[in-house]
Amino acid sequence: MARTLRMLGTNSKTGECPTLYENVDSGEVQGYTVDRALLVNFAPKK
């Protein structure tokens, strides 16, 4: 089952804290720590 997540943000200035995401369908808030190398595949392309 696919989930639609909306990024809420992070208060981490050093990348050590997880980023918070809201599950748009359920309203549940989740924190994830994602390796920067993985984000390259999903980041917007210029």
Side-chain angles (χ1 to χ4, degrees):
M1 177 172 83
R3 294 180 288 181
T4 303
L5 299 177
R6 179 172 63 101
M7 181 179 160
L8 298 176
T10 184
N11 64 354
S12 175
K13 293 185 170 81
T14 61
E16 296 173 6
C17 297
T19 302
L20 294 177
Y21 292 90
E22 175 188 14
N23 183 329
V24 175
D25 300 322
S26 70
E28 180 180 271
V29 175
Q30 303 165 338
Y32 294 100
T33 303
V34 180
D35 186 84
R36 184 173 296 277
L38 292 174
L39 291 176
V40 172
N41 294 328
F42 300 100
K45 308 294 187 246
K46 291 184 179 181

Short mmCIF file of all heavy atoms in Angstrom, two decimals:
data_model
loop_
_atom_site.label_atom_id
_atom_site.label_comp_id
_atom_site.label_asym_id
_atom_site.label_seq_id
_atom_site.Cartn_x
_atom_site.Cartn_y
_atom_site.Cartn_z
N MET A 1 0.85 -1.17 0.00
CA MET A 1 0.00 0.00 0.00
C MET A 1 0.90 1.24 0.00
O MET A 1 1.76 1.40 0.85
CB MET A 1 -0.90 -0.02 1.23
CG MET A 1 -1.76 1.21 1.34
SD MET A 1 -2.98 1.09 2.64
CE MET A 1 -2.02 1.54 4.06
N ALA A 2 0.71 2.10 -0.94
CA ALA A 2 1.50 3.33 -1.04
C ALA A 2 0.94 4.38 -0.09
O ALA A 2 -0.27 4.45 0.15
CB ALA A 2 1.46 3.86 -2.46
N ARG A 3 1.84 5.17 0.48
CA ARG A 3 1.44 6.26 1.37
C ARG A 3 1.89 7.57 0.74
O ARG A 3 2.92 7.65 0.10
CB ARG A 3 2.11 6.13 2.73
CG ARG A 3 1.65 4.93 3.50
CD ARG A 3 2.34 4.88 4.82
NE ARG A 3 3.74 4.51 4.56
CZ ARG A 3 4.65 4.34 5.49
NH1 ARG A 3 4.33 4.52 6.75
NH2 ARG A 3 5.86 4.00 5.20
N THR A 4 1.09 8.60 0.94
CA THR A 4 1.46 9.94 0.50
C THR A 4 1.99 10.68 1.71
O THR A 4 1.27 10.88 2.69
CB THR A 4 0.24 10.67 -0.09
OG1 THR A 4 -0.28 9.90 -1.16
CG2 THR A 4 0.64 12.04 -0.60
N LEU A 5 3.28 11.06 1.66
CA LEU A 5 3.90 11.75 2.77
C LEU A 5 4.16 13.20 2.39
O LEU A 5 4.55 13.50 1.27
CB LEU A 5 5.23 11.09 3.15
CG LEU A 5 5.14 9.64 3.60
CD1 LEU A 5 6.54 9.10 3.87
CD2 LEU A 5 4.27 9.49 4.83
N ARG A 6 3.94 14.09 3.35
CA ARG A 6 4.23 15.51 3.17
C ARG A 6 5.30 15.89 4.18
O ARG A 6 5.18 15.65 5.37
CB ARG A 6 2.97 16.33 3.42
CG ARG A 6 3.18 17.83 3.27
CD ARG A 6 1.86 18.57 3.34
NE ARG A 6 1.21 18.40 4.62
CZ ARG A 6 1.21 19.30 5.60
NH1 ARG A 6 1.81 20.45 5.45
NH2 ARG A 6 0.57 19.06 6.73
N MET A 7 6.40 16.47 3.68
CA MET A 7 7.50 16.85 4.55
C MET A 7 7.09 18.04 5.41
O MET A 7 6.63 19.05 4.91
CB MET A 7 8.73 17.21 3.73
CG MET A 7 9.90 17.58 4.57
SD MET A 7 11.31 17.97 3.54
CE MET A 7 12.27 18.92 4.69
N LEU A 8 7.25 17.90 6.73
CA LEU A 8 6.94 18.98 7.66
C LEU A 8 8.19 19.79 7.99
O LEU A 8 8.10 20.97 8.26
CB LEU A 8 6.35 18.42 8.96
CG LEU A 8 5.04 17.65 8.80
CD1 LEU A 8 4.62 17.08 10.13
CD2 LEU A 8 3.96 18.54 8.22
N GLY A 9 9.35 19.14 7.97
CA GLY A 9 10.60 19.83 8.23
C GLY A 9 11.42 19.16 9.31
O GLY A 9 11.08 18.11 9.81
N THR A 10 12.52 19.81 9.66
CA THR A 10 13.43 19.33 10.68
C THR A 10 14.04 20.52 11.39
O THR A 10 14.09 21.61 10.83
CB THR A 10 14.53 18.43 10.09
OG1 THR A 10 15.33 17.93 11.16
CG2 THR A 10 15.41 19.18 9.12
N ASN A 11 14.47 20.30 12.60
CA ASN A 11 15.16 21.38 13.30
C ASN A 11 16.66 21.07 13.41
O ASN A 11 17.37 21.72 14.15
CB ASN A 11 14.56 21.62 14.69
CG ASN A 11 14.72 20.44 15.60
OD1 ASN A 11 15.18 19.38 15.21
ND2 ASN A 11 14.31 20.61 16.84
N SER A 12 17.09 20.09 12.66
CA SER A 12 18.49 19.67 12.70
C SER A 12 19.33 20.55 11.79
O SER A 12 19.05 20.70 10.61
CB SER A 12 18.61 18.22 12.26
OG SER A 12 19.96 17.85 12.19
N LYS A 13 20.37 21.11 12.36
CA LYS A 13 21.30 21.89 11.54
C LYS A 13 22.50 21.06 11.11
O LYS A 13 23.25 21.44 10.24
CB LYS A 13 21.76 23.12 12.32
CG LYS A 13 20.63 24.10 12.56
CD LYS A 13 21.11 25.35 13.22
CE LYS A 13 20.05 26.40 13.24
NZ LYS A 13 19.06 26.34 14.22
N THR A 14 22.68 19.89 11.73
CA THR A 14 23.82 19.04 11.42
C THR A 14 23.42 17.74 10.75
O THR A 14 24.27 16.92 10.47
CB THR A 14 24.61 18.72 12.71
OG1 THR A 14 23.74 18.01 13.60
CG2 THR A 14 25.14 19.97 13.36
N GLY A 15 22.13 17.53 10.52
CA GLY A 15 21.67 16.31 9.86
C GLY A 15 21.55 15.10 10.77
O GLY A 15 21.41 13.99 10.31
N GLU A 16 21.61 15.32 12.09
CA GLU A 16 21.55 14.19 13.02
C GLU A 16 20.13 13.85 13.47
O GLU A 16 19.89 12.75 13.95
CB GLU A 16 22.41 14.50 14.24
CG GLU A 16 23.88 14.64 13.89
CD GLU A 16 24.72 15.09 15.06
OE1 GLU A 16 24.19 15.20 16.19
OE2 GLU A 16 25.92 15.35 14.86
N CYS A 17 19.20 14.78 13.35
CA CYS A 17 17.82 14.54 13.77
C CYS A 17 16.99 14.09 12.56
O CYS A 17 17.24 14.50 11.44
CB CYS A 17 17.20 15.82 14.34
SG CYS A 17 18.03 16.39 15.81
N PRO A 18 15.98 13.27 12.81
CA PRO A 18 15.14 12.84 11.70
C PRO A 18 14.26 13.97 11.18
O PRO A 18 13.95 14.91 11.90
CB PRO A 18 14.28 11.73 12.29
CG PRO A 18 14.27 11.99 13.75
CD PRO A 18 15.57 12.66 14.06
N THR A 19 13.90 13.88 9.92
CA THR A 19 12.96 14.81 9.32
C THR A 19 11.55 14.29 9.60
O THR A 19 11.31 13.10 9.58
CB THR A 19 13.20 14.88 7.80
OG1 THR A 19 14.54 15.29 7.59
CG2 THR A 19 12.26 15.84 7.12
N LEU A 20 10.63 15.20 9.90
CA LEU A 20 9.25 14.80 10.20
C LEU A 20 8.40 14.85 8.93
O LEU A 20 8.49 15.79 8.15
CB LEU A 20 8.65 15.72 11.25
CG LEU A 20 9.29 15.65 12.62
CD1 LEU A 20 8.64 16.68 13.54
CD2 LEU A 20 9.19 14.26 13.21
N TYR A 21 7.59 13.80 8.77
CA TYR A 21 6.67 13.69 7.65
C TYR A 21 5.28 13.40 8.18
O TYR A 21 5.12 12.70 9.17
CB TYR A 21 7.09 12.55 6.71
CG TYR A 21 8.37 12.81 5.99
CD1 TYR A 21 9.59 12.42 6.52
CD2 TYR A 21 8.36 13.44 4.76
CE1 TYR A 21 10.77 12.66 5.86
CE2 TYR A 21 9.53 13.69 4.07
CZ TYR A 21 10.73 13.29 4.63
OH TYR A 21 11.90 13.53 3.97
N GLU A 22 4.28 13.94 7.50
CA GLU A 22 2.88 13.65 7.84
C GLU A 22 2.32 12.71 6.80
O GLU A 22 2.48 12.93 5.59
CB GLU A 22 2.07 14.94 7.85
CG GLU A 22 0.60 14.69 8.07
CD GLU A 22 -0.24 15.95 7.90
OE1 GLU A 22 0.26 16.95 7.35
OE2 GLU A 22 -1.41 15.91 8.30
N ASN A 23 1.68 11.64 7.25
CA ASN A 23 0.95 10.76 6.36
C ASN A 23 -0.33 11.50 5.99
O ASN A 23 -1.19 11.72 6.84
CB ASN A 23 0.65 9.43 7.05
CG ASN A 23 -0.04 8.45 6.16
OD1 ASN A 23 -0.80 8.82 5.27
ND2 ASN A 23 0.21 7.18 6.39
N VAL A 24 -0.47 11.91 4.74
CA VAL A 24 -1.59 12.74 4.30
C VAL A 24 -2.92 12.03 4.50
O VAL A 24 -3.91 12.67 4.85
CB VAL A 24 -1.39 13.16 2.82
CG1 VAL A 24 -2.59 13.93 2.29
CG2 VAL A 24 -0.12 13.99 2.67
N ASP A 25 -2.95 10.73 4.33
CA ASP A 25 -4.20 9.98 4.43
C ASP A 25 -4.69 9.82 5.87
O ASP A 25 -5.87 9.96 6.15
CB ASP A 25 -4.05 8.61 3.78
CG ASP A 25 -3.70 8.72 2.31
OD1 ASP A 25 -4.24 9.62 1.64
OD2 ASP A 25 -2.88 7.91 1.84
N SER A 26 -3.77 9.56 6.81
CA SER A 26 -4.17 9.28 8.19
C SER A 26 -3.89 10.44 9.15
O SER A 26 -4.41 10.44 10.26
CB SER A 26 -3.44 8.04 8.71
OG SER A 26 -2.06 8.32 8.89
N GLY A 27 -3.04 11.39 8.74
CA GLY A 27 -2.69 12.49 9.62
C GLY A 27 -1.58 12.13 10.62
O GLY A 27 -1.16 12.95 11.41
N GLU A 28 -1.11 10.89 10.57
CA GLU A 28 -0.05 10.43 11.46
C GLU A 28 1.27 11.11 11.10
O GLU A 28 1.59 11.28 9.94
CB GLU A 28 0.10 8.92 11.31
CG GLU A 28 1.16 8.30 12.18
CD GLU A 28 1.22 6.80 11.96
OE1 GLU A 28 0.50 6.08 12.65
OE2 GLU A 28 2.00 6.38 11.09
N VAL A 29 2.02 11.52 12.12
CA VAL A 29 3.32 12.16 11.91
C VAL A 29 4.40 11.14 12.21
O VAL A 29 4.35 10.44 13.22
CB VAL A 29 3.49 13.41 12.80
CG1 VAL A 29 4.88 13.99 12.67
CG2 VAL A 29 2.44 14.45 12.44
N GLN A 30 5.38 11.05 11.30
CA GLN A 30 6.45 10.07 11.43
C GLN A 30 7.79 10.76 11.23
O GLN A 30 7.89 11.73 10.49
CB GLN A 30 6.28 8.98 10.37
CG GLN A 30 4.94 8.29 10.45
CD GLN A 30 4.63 7.47 9.21
OE1 GLN A 30 5.16 7.70 8.16
NE2 GLN A 30 3.74 6.51 9.38
N GLY A 31 8.80 10.24 11.89
CA GLY A 31 10.15 10.76 11.72
C GLY A 31 11.02 9.75 11.01
O GLY A 31 10.98 8.56 11.31
N TYR A 32 11.79 10.21 10.04
CA TYR A 32 12.66 9.33 9.28
C TYR A 32 14.04 9.93 9.17
O TYR A 32 14.19 11.13 8.97
CB TYR A 32 12.15 9.12 7.85
CG TYR A 32 10.86 8.38 7.77
CD1 TYR A 32 9.67 9.06 7.59
CD2 TYR A 32 10.82 7.00 7.87
CE1 TYR A 32 8.47 8.39 7.50
CE2 TYR A 32 9.62 6.32 7.79
CZ TYR A 32 8.46 7.02 7.60
OH TYR A 32 7.27 6.35 7.51
N THR A 33 15.05 9.11 9.30
CA THR A 33 16.41 9.51 9.00
C THR A 33 16.76 8.81 7.69
O THR A 33 16.75 7.58 7.62
CB THR A 33 17.38 9.08 10.11
OG1 THR A 33 16.93 9.65 11.33
CG2 THR A 33 18.78 9.55 9.81
N VAL A 34 17.04 9.58 6.67
CA VAL A 34 17.30 9.03 5.34
C VAL A 34 18.73 9.39 4.94
O VAL A 34 19.14 10.54 5.05
CB VAL A 34 16.30 9.60 4.30
CG1 VAL A 34 16.58 9.02 2.92
CG2 VAL A 34 14.88 9.31 4.74
N ASP A 35 19.46 8.40 4.49
CA ASP A 35 20.82 8.61 4.04
C ASP A 35 20.83 9.54 2.83
O ASP A 35 20.02 9.38 1.92
CB ASP A 35 21.45 7.27 3.68
CG ASP A 35 22.91 7.40 3.34
OD1 ASP A 35 23.73 7.40 4.28
OD2 ASP A 35 23.21 7.54 2.15
N ARG A 36 21.72 10.52 2.83
CA ARG A 36 21.80 11.50 1.76
C ARG A 36 21.98 10.84 0.39
O ARG A 36 21.42 11.28 -0.61
CB ARG A 36 22.94 12.48 2.02
CG ARG A 36 23.01 13.59 1.00
CD ARG A 36 24.02 14.64 1.36
NE ARG A 36 23.70 15.35 2.59
CZ ARG A 36 22.87 16.38 2.67
NH1 ARG A 36 22.27 16.81 1.60
NH2 ARG A 36 22.64 16.96 3.82
N ALA A 37 22.72 9.75 0.32
CA ALA A 37 22.94 9.06 -0.95
C ALA A 37 21.63 8.55 -1.55
O ALA A 37 21.46 8.54 -2.77
CB ALA A 37 23.92 7.91 -0.76
N LEU A 38 20.68 8.16 -0.71
CA LEU A 38 19.39 7.70 -1.21
C LEU A 38 18.54 8.86 -1.71
O LEU A 38 17.76 8.71 -2.66
CB LEU A 38 18.62 6.96 -0.11
CG LEU A 38 19.21 5.64 0.33
CD1 LEU A 38 18.44 5.10 1.52
CD2 LEU A 38 19.21 4.65 -0.81
N LEU A 39 18.68 10.02 -1.08
CA LEU A 39 17.88 11.18 -1.49
C LEU A 39 18.21 11.65 -2.90
O LEU A 39 17.36 12.22 -3.57
CB LEU A 39 18.08 12.34 -0.50
CG LEU A 39 17.48 12.11 0.88
CD1 LEU A 39 17.83 13.29 1.78
CD2 LEU A 39 15.99 11.91 0.81
N VAL A 40 19.41 11.40 -3.34
CA VAL A 40 19.82 11.83 -4.68
C VAL A 40 18.90 11.24 -5.73
O VAL A 40 18.56 11.91 -6.72
CB VAL A 40 21.29 11.43 -4.95
CG1 VAL A 40 21.68 11.68 -6.38
CG2 VAL A 40 22.20 12.18 -4.01
N ASN A 41 18.43 10.02 -5.52
CA ASN A 41 17.55 9.37 -6.49
C ASN A 41 16.16 10.00 -6.54
O ASN A 41 15.47 9.86 -7.54
CB ASN A 41 17.42 7.88 -6.15
CG ASN A 41 18.72 7.15 -6.31
OD1 ASN A 41 19.53 7.49 -7.16
ND2 ASN A 41 18.93 6.17 -5.48
N PHE A 42 15.73 10.67 -5.47
CA PHE A 42 14.38 11.19 -5.39
C PHE A 42 14.29 12.71 -5.37
O PHE A 42 13.21 13.27 -5.41
CB PHE A 42 13.69 10.64 -4.14
CG PHE A 42 13.61 9.15 -4.14
CD1 PHE A 42 14.51 8.38 -3.42
CD2 PHE A 42 12.65 8.49 -4.90
CE1 PHE A 42 14.45 7.01 -3.44
CE2 PHE A 42 12.58 7.12 -4.92
CZ PHE A 42 13.49 6.37 -4.20
N ALA A 43 15.42 13.37 -5.33
CA ALA A 43 15.43 14.85 -5.29
C ALA A 43 15.01 15.41 -6.65
O ALA A 43 15.22 14.78 -7.69
CB ALA A 43 16.83 15.34 -4.94
N PRO A 44 14.40 16.60 -6.64
CA PRO A 44 14.03 17.22 -7.90
C PRO A 44 15.26 17.47 -8.78
O PRO A 44 16.33 17.82 -8.29
CB PRO A 44 13.41 18.56 -7.49
CG PRO A 44 13.08 18.40 -6.04
CD PRO A 44 14.03 17.39 -5.49
N LYS A 45 15.10 17.25 -10.05
CA LYS A 45 16.19 17.48 -11.00
C LYS A 45 16.11 18.90 -11.50
O LYS A 45 15.05 19.46 -11.71
CB LYS A 45 16.07 16.52 -12.19
CG LYS A 45 15.96 15.05 -11.80
CD LYS A 45 17.22 14.54 -11.14
CE LYS A 45 17.15 13.05 -10.91
NZ LYS A 45 17.11 12.63 -9.56
N LYS A 46 17.27 19.52 -11.71
CA LYS A 46 17.30 20.92 -12.17
C LYS A 46 17.07 21.01 -13.65
O LYS A 46 17.30 20.20 -14.43
CB LYS A 46 18.63 21.57 -11.84
CG LYS A 46 18.77 21.77 -10.36
CD LYS A 46 20.05 22.49 -10.08
CE LYS A 46 20.18 22.73 -8.59
NZ LYS A 46 21.37 23.44 -8.25
#
